[in-house]
Amino acid sequence: MENVLLKVDGKIAEVTINRPKALNALNSQTLRELGEVINKLTEDEEIKVVIITGAGEKAFVAGADITEMQSLNAIEGRKLARLAQKVFSAIETMPQIVIAAVNGYALGGGCELAMACDIRFASANAKFGQPEVTLGIIPGFAGTQRLPRLVGRGVAKELIIGGDMINAEEAYRINLANKIYNLEELLPKTREFAEKVLSRGTLAVSFAKTAINNGMNMDTESAYNYEADLFGLCFATEDQKEGMKAFIEKRKAEFKGC
């Protein structure tokens, strides 16, 4: 692929948006390539954690490609939005844990890509924002839906309607970023967390992600029942037996993902 790089190291996959000269802006080709990679990884049962980052030291993804969008008509604009929404939804719902290593600008589509990930680690020089209104459009890659779910409706409206960038510290304060690291530490710390995830019960981690994502879209009682169903299902796994046995025997569990 031309614009998306994939590196696999054991059970961890690293996906890099690779358009550094364009600050890794998302054009339709890049979105299609990213979708292909995500679909491939979703089907790979050996991969347990996916890291998404951007090439270079300036940008994670600086936004959608304005050069490509400038000439779109209404139908073409909607088609682009639906393409990105489907790719980002595939990221959000894949069984693996997905970590965004935000190494610089995460604006517009870049912020929306980061929000589709389960966890966002940011470099100290990272900038987040939804500046679409400064271009006469609104966020179209699900930003108007994911941002309020992450930071609250009022803060999301301020960011989207104001169209301003915020730094990593502010992103952390409003719960848009989980952690902040120096740029040179970002990927090592992200990989360190990925290794921690690998040491946990594989099915339990996947069930927990599913319970959180799906439960957020249910009424409270339905969400409680859904959690109880997945909790009960854990007791049909070898991982649960191994995890509890290891606890009682005061040793490290050896999970097999079954």
Side-chain angles (χ1 to χ4, degrees):
M1 293 186 178
E2 183 179 344
N3 297 334
V4 178
L5 305 178
L6 173 62
K7 182 174 72 174
V8 175
D9 182 10
K11 297 181 179 180
I12 301 172
E14 189 173 305
V15 178
T16 303
I17 309 301
N18 187 39
R19 299 186 71 209
K21 291 182 179 179
L23 296 180
N24 303 319
L26 298 173
N27 58 12
S28 55
Q29 177 184 342
T30 305
L31 286 167
R32 284 192 292 268
E33 290 183 8
L34 179 59
E36 290 178 27
V37 170
I38 294 305
N39 289 338
K40 176 182 178 181
L41 292 175
T42 297
E43 298 299 321
D44 191 337
E45 295 182 357
E46 294 299 312
I47 300 298
K48 305 302 180 185
V49 182
V50 177
I51 298 169
I52 299 180
T53 193
E57 298 182 353
K58 292 183 178 180
F60 172 70
V61 168
D65 193 320
I66 308 301
T67 303
E68 181 184 67
M69 289 198 300
Q70 182 180 15
S71 61
L72 299 182
N73 60 34
I75 293 174
E76 292 166 338
R78 187 182 191 282
K79 183 178 179 181
L80 177 64
R82 289 299 291 150
L83 170 63
Q85 288 171 0
K86 289 175 182 178
V87 173
F88 293 178
S89 290
I91 292 170
E92 185 175 50
T93 59
M94 64 194 306
Q96 295 90 346
I97 300 303
V98 187
I99 309 169
V102 181
N103 56 315
Y105 292 112
L107 306 175
C111 188
E112 289 165 308
L113 172 58
M115 289 191 292
C117 300
D118 299 302
I119 296 165
R120 286 155 294 283
F121 292 158
S123 61
N125 68 319
K127 303 285 187 182
F128 294 80
Q130 300 289 164
E132 286 87 349
V133 294
T134 67
L135 301 171
I137 58 175
I138 67 169
F141 297 178
T144 63
Q145 305 307 306
R146 286 196 177 93
L147 189 57
R149 286 169 168 81
L150 281 170
V151 305
R153 188 179 301 181
V155 175
K157 286 180 179 179
E158 179 184 0
L159 289 173
I160 291 172
I161 295 170
D164 295 323
M165 287 191 298
I166 59 172
N167 60 24
E169 288 79 10
E170 179 67 4
Y172 175 77
R173 189 187 71 81
I174 65 174
N175 297 321
L176 185 54
N178 294 79
K179 292 282 193 302
I180 303 172
Y181 298 110
N182 292 329
L183 183 60
E184 62 272 13
E185 292 183 308
L186 179 62
L187 279 175
K189 288 292 187 181
T190 302
R191 295 187 187 107
E192 183 180 308
F193 184 83
E195 292 289 346
K196 180 190 293 187
V197 173
L198 295 181
S199 71
R200 306 318 192 206
T202 303
L203 290 175
V205 167
S206 184
F207 287 172
K209 172 176 175 172
T210 301
I212 294 168
N213 284 355
N214 291 346
M216 289 289 289
N217 296 316
M218 299 178 183
D219 64 85
T220 303
E221 192 59 33
S222 296
Y224 290 165
N225 281 314
Y226 184 63
E227 179 187 82
D229 290 342
L230 291 174
F231 177 77
L233 191 57
C234 290
F235 288 83
T237 69
E238 293 299 320
D239 277 0
Q240 174 267 330
K241 295 176 178 61
E242 166 62 12
M244 294 190 177
K245 184 179 179 183
F247 177 84
I248 291 170
E249 296 175 354
K250 296 181 171 58
R251 61 175 175 82
K252 186 177 179 180
E254 297 180 5
F255 296 112
K256 297 181 180 178
C258 60

